[in-house]
Amino acid sequence: MATNQAPVTFQKANKRQAKLRLALFGPSGSGKTYTALKVATALGGRIALIDTERGSASKYAGEFDFDVLELETFQPQQYINATLAAQKAGYDILIIDSLSHAWTGKQGLLEQHGNITARDPRHDSFAAWRDVTPIHNNLLDALTQANLHLIATMRAKSEYVRETDSNGKTKITEVGVQPVQRDGTEYEFDVVGRLDQDNTLVIIKTRCSALSEVVIKKPGREIATTLKAWLSDGSKPVPARQVDTATGEVTEQP
């Protein structure tokens, strides 16, 4: 039977200017917040920060200029609302510190999953993910489609390794091995870096070839300079279209 499907066509790939999508993860004390603020400041522009760490980011207010929103509960919709508010207010950069709480925190996805299984015995653990996964996907869509630069920090699941220093002495070192978030979340970002307790950044995934397998001690301006050059290289992006649901008016964002 004949169908009226539109023809499928390909066109020449064209690199466009883009907004940053950077994820930083590491153990406690690795400098995630400080590094995010250094990179954001070097990028330039107005900075908004979502703080899930009980006001810890504001301790750096004397060194960096940014506005903060402190969350007390971590339902993913709160992250989405805050991201939309940052765009509407005209911020250039949004730091989410940290994205891990949307997974493990109060009213986060794991708690919601547990509540679903507890309320209805017919929902086993696997079935409950059918309700939770769309919430997670909505959060990732909001972050990756936001019309501003985005830097997200995540805690790391840690393990301890035994090492021998140059003097032959044994020491125990904490190593961050995986972000505290749903598996694979970090790969929604264009650049992913792991920080250790010496504030050394190891790039473990990147679409920016200049940062492939790069290791940077105390990262900040240098990585921001590389990212700015990469993000600004190419044609201007297609303007984002926004529809006012009340009036139906369509506007284009720069």
Side-chain angles (χ1 to χ4, degrees):
M1 184 172 63
T3 61
N4 293 321
Q5 293 180 343
V8 177
T9 59
F10 292 85
Q11 61 184 10
K12 185 175 177 60
N14 178 33
K15 186 179 185 302
R16 293 189 174 96
Q17 297 175 16
K19 299 296 184 181
L20 176 63
R21 300 292 180 261
L22 171 64
L24 302 170
F25 74 95
S28 177
S30 60
K32 297 184 293 294
T33 306
Y34 192 77
T35 299
L37 284 165
K38 284 175 67 179
V39 172
T41 300
L43 285 172
R46 296 176 61 215
I47 303 170
L49 187 147
I50 300 172
D51 187 348
T52 69
E53 303 277 358
R54 298 181 176 86
S56 63
S58 294
K59 295 175 182 177
Y60 299 120
E63 297 184 59
F64 303 101
D65 183 13
F66 63 98
D67 295 335
V68 66
L69 171 67
E70 296 180 9
L71 298 184
E72 296 182 0
T73 60
F74 311 110
Q75 187 178 18
Q77 187 61 47
Q78 290 208 60
Y79 286 82
I80 295 173
N81 292 344
T83 301
L84 294 173
Q87 292 180 86
K88 186 175 181 180
Y91 288 99
D92 301 290
I93 307 161
L94 175 63
I95 299 172
I96 299 178
D97 186 41
S98 75
L99 189 57
S100 291
H101 286 84
W103 182 245
T104 61
K106 183 178 180 181
Q107 296 183 17
L109 288 162
L110 287 182
E111 183 175 304
Q112 292 189 44
H113 176 270
N115 290 341
I116 291 169
T117 56
R119 283 195 302 265
D120 188 348
R122 295 171 299 178
H123 273 80
D124 59 23
S125 179
F126 182 79
W129 286 115
R130 290 201 297 264
D131 297 320
V132 175
T133 295
I135 302 172
H136 175 73
N137 291 341
N138 288 341
L139 172 61
L140 293 182
D141 286 344
L143 300 185
T144 57
Q145 295 174 17
N147 191 32
L148 39 63
H149 296 308
L150 179 73
I151 304 174
T153 71
M154 290 179 275
R155 295 178 174 181
K157 300 174 185 177
S158 299
E159 67 178 20
Y160 293 87
V161 297
R162 188 185 302 272
E163 298 179 332
T164 302
D165 63 21
S166 58
N167 297 319
K169 293 183 178 181
T170 300
K171 64 177 182 177
I172 305 298
T173 303
E174 184 182 22
V175 180
V177 292
Q178 187 176 354
V180 176
Q181 244 294 340
R182 189 169 187 174
D183 288 348
T185 295
E186 68 274 22
Y187 293 106
E188 297 294 327
F189 293 81
D190 291 326
V191 181
V192 181
R194 182 182 67 240
L195 288 160
D196 64 18
Q197 288 184 309
D198 294 324
N199 194 222
T200 297
L201 177 69
V202 179
I203 301 297
I204 62 171
K205 180 254 183 176
T206 179
R207 294 188 175 99
C208 173
S209 59
L211 292 176
S212 180
E213 299 182 355
V214 164
V215 177
I216 306 173
K217 292 184 177 181
K218 302 186 183 305
R221 178 169 296 279
E222 65 274 54
I223 187 173
T225 300
T226 300
L227 288 169
K228 283 179 71 173
W230 175 64
L231 294 166
S232 60
D233 178 33
S235 61
K236 291 186 177 180
V238 177
R241 293 167 61 85
Q242 187 172 34
V243 180
D244 188 317
T245 55
T247 65
E249 181 180 356
V250 178
T251 57
E252 291 188 347
Q253 299 177 333

